[in-house]
Amino acid sequence: MTGAPAYSVVIPTIGRPCLADCLRALAAAAGHPPEEVVVVDDRPEPAGELPLEAAGPLRGRVRTLCSGGRGPAAARNTGWRTVGTPWTVFLDDDVRVPPKWSRLLADDLGAVGPDTGGVQGRLTVPLPENRRPTDWERCTAGLEQAAWATADMAYRTAALVGVGGFDERFRRAFREDADLALRVLEAGWTLRRGRRTTAHPVRPAGRWVSVRAQRGNADDVLMNRLHGPDWWSRAEAPRGRLPRHVLVTSAALSASLCVLAGRRRAAAAAGALWLLGTAEFAAARIRPGPRSPDEVTTMVVTSVVIPPLAVSHWLHGLVRHRRVLPTGGRP
């Protein structure tokens, strides 16, 4: 497409099979192909070849880099710092761009003014049509409302240079995109939502996925330190249940201490509060779901485990990030 802004695509990966589908879909999006596709292998010890042949006609434009297993923020930095195009488009390796994606991307980038630092793609999460979605499927579907998610996010390369890219203290695929967006906004750029859409299928996950996700509470502490307590609203991020988890965990701890002290009535009261809070949490997760025996069992068990684990990760974050200064989030 003559006159459309040139761009490069950066895809961090840990070698998941879905990378092949991502590259295949990108190659099928004809009209305004990327100048290059940078696949960043973030496996600590790469074993086996990546499925780069799936890029088909784009194979000659694909190159790979290694980032040593330091997380998606570091992987994206490794990629974008080597591109020479005005725009860098970040895609996750588990998304599927539709055939008109590159044409719509050209429209998105061509329609913005010089003060625009980034243009977000709209994510769609396919959900089962014959049943209610599970807790994990609903969690993934939340990406449809997420602001500035790097599953499909185009940034002006100059904006990335100006803010220093992603903060590599975010080691997981969580909050690193919100942090970058806030720093780009603080630098005077604007961010916009584009017209292009990208599918983000629900990846397979075990029943403990919600338990593992609680590690993100430590990243929220880092966000608080960097951007202040109002970062939630500025990043358009939904608030979690940490205050309730603190209350439920405190009730459980109080009940245990009261039992040891022989204060039975106080122990019973605290235990009842813990039971009520845990039941409310489990019901809130079970009610909108498929309510199958396996899903109900998973929700009940994980609803007991999640509150104390969330608090534990939050406390760990307070200790780990206690010396982080609120410098506007600049890495």
Side-chain angles (χ1 to χ4, degrees), residues 8-16 19 22-23 36-44 46 50-52 61-83 88-93 166 168:
S8 300
V9 172
V10 173
I11 306 174
T13 185
I14 53 174
R16 297 185 295 185
L19 174 63
C22 177
L23 292 173
E36 60 178 342
V37 179
V38 184
V39 177
V40 185
D41 188 343
D42 195 45
R43 293 176 291 181
L50 296 175
L52 303 182
R61 304 188 185 199
V62 177
R63 58 187 174 88
T64 59
L65 299 171
C66 293
S67 52
R70 295 180 291 128
R76 294 190 188 102
N77 282 343
T78 299
W80 76 260
R81 286 171 178 160
T82 68
V83 306
T88 300
V89 181
F90 296 106
L91 294 178
D92 284 352
D93 68 353
F166 291 88
E168 297 182 12

Side-chain angles (χ1 to χ4, degrees), residues 5 64 91 190 206 216 242 321-322:
T64 59
L91 294 178
T190 61
L242 182 62
H321 303 304
R322 66 188 182 278

Side-chain angles (χ1 to χ4, degrees), residues 157-178:
T157 306
L160 295 172
V161 172
V163 301
F166 291 88
D167 189 329
E168 297 182 12
R169 287 173 292 190
F170 293 93
R171 297 295 298 268
R172 292 173 288 275
F174 190 71
R175 301 304 190 205
E176 85 289 356
D177 45 8

Side-chain angles (χ1 to χ4, degrees), residues 25-331:
L26 183 62
H32 183 43
E35 293 294 309
E36 60 178 342
V37 179
V38 184
V39 177
V40 185
D41 188 343
D42 195 45
R43 293 176 291 181
E45 297 180 2
E49 298 294 325
L50 296 175
L52 303 182
E53 296 303 323
L58 289 181
R59 180 64 184 91
R61 304 188 185 199
V62 177
R63 58 187 174 88
T64 59
L65 299 171
C66 293
S67 52
R70 295 180 291 128
R76 294 190 188 102
N77 282 343
T78 299
W80 76 260
R81 286 171 178 160
T82 68
V83 306
T85 51
W87 288 89
T88 300
V89 181
F90 296 106
L91 294 178
D92 284 352
D93 68 353
D94 55 354
V95 302
R96 310 286 183 272
V97 300
K100 295 182 180 180
W101 180 83
S102 65
R103 293 180 181 271
L104 292 175
L105 172 65
D107 293 341
D108 286 346
L109 301 185
V112 301
D115 64 332
T116 298
V119 186
Q120 177 183 0
R122 299 177 184 272
L123 300 176
T124 61
V125 179
L127 294 176
E129 297 180 355
N130 59 343
R131 60 167 174 79
R132 294 180 176 183
T134 64
D135 179 70
W136 172 237
E137 290 167 341
R138 295 193 307 275
C139 179
T140 305
L143 289 171
E144 294 185 342
Q145 308 302 322
W148 327 128
T150 40
D152 179 357
M153 184 72 191
Y155 272 106
R156 202 180 290 273
T157 306
L160 295 172
V161 172
V163 301
F166 291 88
D167 189 329
E168 297 182 12
R169 287 173 292 190
F170 293 93
R171 297 295 298 268
R172 292 173 288 275
F174 190 71
R175 301 304 190 205
E176 85 289 356
D177 45 8
D179 167 74
L180 175 61
L182 288 179
R183 288 188 285 113
V184 170
L185 290 169
E186 289 164 1
W189 299 93
T190 61
L191 298 176
R192 304 197 182 280
R193 289 175 171 83
R195 295 176 55 244
R196 69 189 187 279
T197 61
T198 297
H200 191 301
V202 179
R203 61 178 172 82
R207 65 169 55 199
W208 299 107
V209 62
S210 60
V211 173
R212 294 192 297 271
Q214 300 312 308
R215 293 177 296 179
N217 285 283
D219 298 311
D220 284 346
V221 173
L222 180 55
M223 288 293 290
N224 285 338
R225 295 289 295 165
L226 292 172
H227 300 286
D230 65 337
W231 72 265
W232 299 89
S233 59
R234 289 186 288 121
E236 302 179 38
R239 295 298 299 263
R241 294 179 62 105
L242 182 62
R244 297 188 186 186
H245 291 335
V246 171
L247 178 62
V248 170
T249 302
S250 298
L253 181 60
S254 296
S256 300
L257 293 176
C258 288
V259 167
L260 294 176
R263 302 176 60 183
R264 295 184 179 180
R265 289 186 178 180
L273 181 60
W274 169 82
L275 182 61
L276 181 63
T278 302
E280 182 276 330
F281 183 35
R285 302 170 71 206
I286 293 171
R287 191 178 301 112
R291 305 179 191 175
S292 63
D294 184 67
E295 176 76 357
V296 170
T297 300
T298 299
M299 293 300 98
V300 170
V301 173
T302 56
S303 294
V304 173
V305 175
I306 284 175
L309 193 59
V311 173
S312 174
H313 284 298
W314 174 64
L315 292 173
H316 175 73
L318 289 176
V319 174
R320 180 178 180 182
H321 303 304
R322 66 188 182 278
R323 293 191 175 93
V324 173
L325 299 177
T327 57
R330 192 176 182 85

